[in-house]
Amino acid sequence: MVHAPATMADVARIARVSTATVSHYLNKTRRLLPDTENRVRDAIEELDYILDPAARTLRAGSSNVIGLAMSAVSNPYFSALAQELESLLSEHGKSILLMDTHDNTQREQQVVQELIARRVDGLVLAPSASADQAVRLAERYQIPLTLVDRFEPEHECDQAAVKSSDALAVLTGHLLELGHTRIGMITGERGLPTTEERIEGFVAAHRQAGLEVDEKLMISGQSTRAGGYAAADQLLRRRSRPTALVSGNNAMTIGTLRLLKERGVRVPADVAFVCFDDFEWADLFEPGLTAVAQPIRALAETTVDLLLTRIADDQTGIRRVQLEPTIMHRTSCGCLPGTPLGVE
């Protein structure tokens, strides 16, 4: 059920102060006692109050602006996705307002609040590991919302994502077929749907081969370059180090490749390497990277279609669309490249 957005009077009632005091707090026009400030701040957080209530759907006109909330600065994949979204939305007369969530739940909530206050017509959100508050804000203020990249079945909103589990199972299975039995996985931030799906594929491939996964060979790279570097370093320092590595996203891949170069570890002679997220320049590496290529353009097209349909008619049924990736078979896995592998 959609609740009416909170008002300044609601905040004043919960905080046990006057509306003038709430106004002073919000506009920084008068210093308040610490206890009063705390009560007002707590009430604002409890009610998800946003200063500009005109942002709700009852506003008179359209801003023709779409808010994008994702970790676009720190993640090359999201940067590419944001570019495609901007290009497609501009064809429909829409501008974008991009804000980086840094995959942080609290920052994500602040970003969504800011975008709503700026009267965007709709929101595209790449959800964090716990996006409940952000989604609830969009629902409360009746802002059309589409989740992208990370599939969240529990949320009743339009969603577009790429299947991860099967592709990671194929990549891992390929390494197992090549004779690797000690495969290290550099996982993304735990709790993210994409991270859990890719771990699921990694584990499934081992089970299909009749092998148990050594959980000590699964290290979180926190979905970042620095995290990928640290995780790869930790794996390669093991007494019985893995003979192959799987990286869960392109940011961690960059960090891993840097570590391998600094340590003088040859790919694939010393360690085989495969990764999720293809690069525009992945084939220029020596060796070329065997990688899962996500259909970024198709994902952006699907996302735009879902969101603009929702903006035009908020009574349209909820749609959840999952797209298939492609595996680009190159040489970093340790064998000759062939025709790009399909997801089995």
Side-chain angles (χ1 to χ4, degrees), residues 80-96:
L81 179 59
Q83 290 178 8
E84 294 289 356
L85 288 169
E86 190 279 331
S87 175
L88 290 166
L89 287 167
S90 68
E91 295 175 6
H92 294 273
K94 303 289 186 182
S95 300
I96 68 165

Side-chain angles (χ1 to χ4, degrees), residues 4 9-10 30 154 189 202 209 228 234-235 252 267 278 293 307 331:
D10 294 328
R30 180 184 297 176
E154 68 272 21
E189 180 182 350
F202 182 77
Q234 187 174 343
L235 284 167
M252 295 186 299
V267 176
D278 197 27
L307 184 63
T331 54

Side-chain angles (χ1 to χ4, degrees), residues 49-105:
Y49 175 72
I50 293 177
L51 179 59
D52 186 356
R56 72 191 69 172
T57 315
L58 296 177
R59 61 190 180 278
S62 170
S63 67
N64 284 323
V65 175
I66 301 299
L68 303 187
M70 55 183 62
S71 55
V73 174
S74 56
N75 190 316
Y77 162 73
F78 283 121
S79 297
L81 179 59
Q83 290 178 8
E84 294 289 356
L85 288 169
E86 190 279 331
S87 175
L88 290 166
L89 287 167
S90 68
E91 295 175 6
H92 294 273
K94 303 289 186 182
S95 300
I96 68 165
L97 181 57
L98 172 64
M99 298 188 71
D100 200 319
T101 64
H102 302 289
D103 272 336
N104 177 277
T105 299

Side-chain angles (χ1 to χ4, degrees), residues 17-35:
V17 297
S18 68
T19 54
T21 298
V22 176
S23 177
H24 287 310
Y25 174 86
L26 293 169
N27 296 297
K28 309 300 180 186
T29 51
R30 180 184 297 176
R31 295 192 65 176
L32 304 177
L33 294 174
D35 178 65

Side-chain angles (χ1 to χ4, degrees), residues 129 187-193 195-196 199 218 220 222-223:
T187 73
E189 180 182 350
R190 296 307 301 262
L192 290 176
T195 295
E196 302 307 319
I199 290 175
M218 297 174 62
S220 175
Q222 302 299 321
S223 299

Side-chain angles (χ1 to χ4, degrees), residues 250-286:
N250 57 14
M252 295 186 299
T253 293
I254 294 171
T256 299
L257 292 175
R258 181 177 295 278
L259 183 280
L260 294 176
K261 182 178 180 180
E262 290 181 5
R263 293 277 296 273
V265 177
R266 298 169 299 164
V267 176
D270 298 325
V271 63
F273 182 73
V274 299
C275 56
F276 205 99
D277 286 332
D278 197 27
F279 295 85
E280 182 179 358
W281 29 265
D283 58 337
L284 300 180
F285 275 97
E286 184 56 45

Side-chain angles (χ1 to χ4, degrees), residues 26-314:
L26 293 169
N27 296 297
K28 309 300 180 186
T29 51
R30 180 184 297 176
R31 295 192 65 176
L32 304 177
L33 294 174
D35 178 65
T36 303
E37 281 197 354
N38 291 337
R39 295 206 310 273
V40 174
R41 182 182 61 251
D42 291 346
I44 287 171
E45 292 179 356
E46 178 182 342
L47 296 171
D48 292 327
Y49 175 72
I50 293 177
L51 179 59
D52 186 356
R56 72 191 69 172
T57 315
L58 296 177
R59 61 190 180 278
S62 170
S63 67
N64 284 323
V65 175
I66 301 299
L68 303 187
M70 55 183 62
S71 55
V73 174
S74 56
N75 190 316
Y77 162 73
F78 283 121
S79 297
L81 179 59
Q83 290 178 8
E84 294 289 356
L85 288 169
E86 190 279 331
S87 175
L88 290 166
L89 287 167
S90 68
E91 295 175 6
H92 294 273
K94 303 289 186 182
S95 300
I96 68 165
L97 181 57
L98 172 64
M99 298 188 71
D100 200 319
T101 64
H102 302 289
D103 272 336
N104 177 277
T105 299
Q106 184 175 1
R107 169 64 180 164
E108 175 183 69
Q109 184 177 353
Q110 294 170 347
V111 162
V112 170
Q113 287 177 326
E114 176 70 14
L115 290 171
I116 292 173
R118 290 174 180 249
R119 309 185 187 189
V120 295
D121 288 342
L123 283 169
V124 174
L125 171 66
S128 69
S130 180
D132 292 353
Q133 292 290 337
V135 172
R136 186 157 60 87
L137 275 171
E139 291 175 346
R140 174 170 291 186
Y141 284 86
Q142 302 176 37
I143 303 298
L145 170 69
T146 297
L147 300 186
V148 67
D149 182 68
R150 296 155 181 172
F151 209 59
E152 299 268 7
E154 68 272 21
H155 292 313
E156 291 298 318
C157 58
D158 300 313
Q159 302 184 39
V162 176
K163 294 181 180 179
S164 294
S165 180
D166 290 347
L168 217 297
V170 172
L171 271 186
T172 306
H174 179 58
L175 292 174
L176 291 167
E177 290 171 357
L178 292 174
H180 297 283
T181 57
R182 288 186 58 76
I183 304 174
M185 183 177 185
I186 300 170
T187 73
E189 180 182 350
R190 296 307 301 262
L192 290 176
T194 46
T195 295
E196 302 307 319
E197 289 169 13
R198 293 166 197 177
I199 290 175
E200 178 184 328
F202 182 77
V203 172
H206 281 79
R207 288 178 177 168
Q208 187 173 356
L211 298 173
E212 289 295 323
V213 172
D214 183 349
E215 294 190 1
K216 294 180 180 178
L217 295 181
M218 297 174 62
I219 307 294
S220 175
Q222 302 299 321
S223 299
T224 67
R225 297 183 189 187
Y229 182 99
D233 184 54
Q234 187 174 343
L235 284 167
L236 293 181
R237 288 184 184 277
R238 294 187 61 82
R239 177 176 300 177
S240 181
R241 75 184 195 182
T243 61
L245 294 176
V246 179
S247 171
N249 80 354
N250 57 14
M252 295 186 299
T253 293
I254 294 171
T256 299
L257 292 175
R258 181 177 295 278
L259 183 280
L260 294 176
K261 182 178 180 180
E262 290 181 5
R263 293 277 296 273
V265 177
R266 298 169 299 164
V267 176
D270 298 325
V271 63
F273 182 73
V274 299
C275 56
F276 205 99
D277 286 332
D278 197 27
F279 295 85
E280 182 179 358
W281 29 265
D283 58 337
L284 300 180
F285 275 97
E286 184 56 45
L289 298 181
T290 294
V292 175
Q294 300 202 62
I296 295 178
R297 179 71 178 187
L299 181 61
E301 290 173 341
T302 301
T303 302
V304 169
D305 175 63
L306 292 175
L307 184 63
L308 295 186
T309 299
R310 177 67 50 198
I311 291 172
D313 181 6
D314 63 4

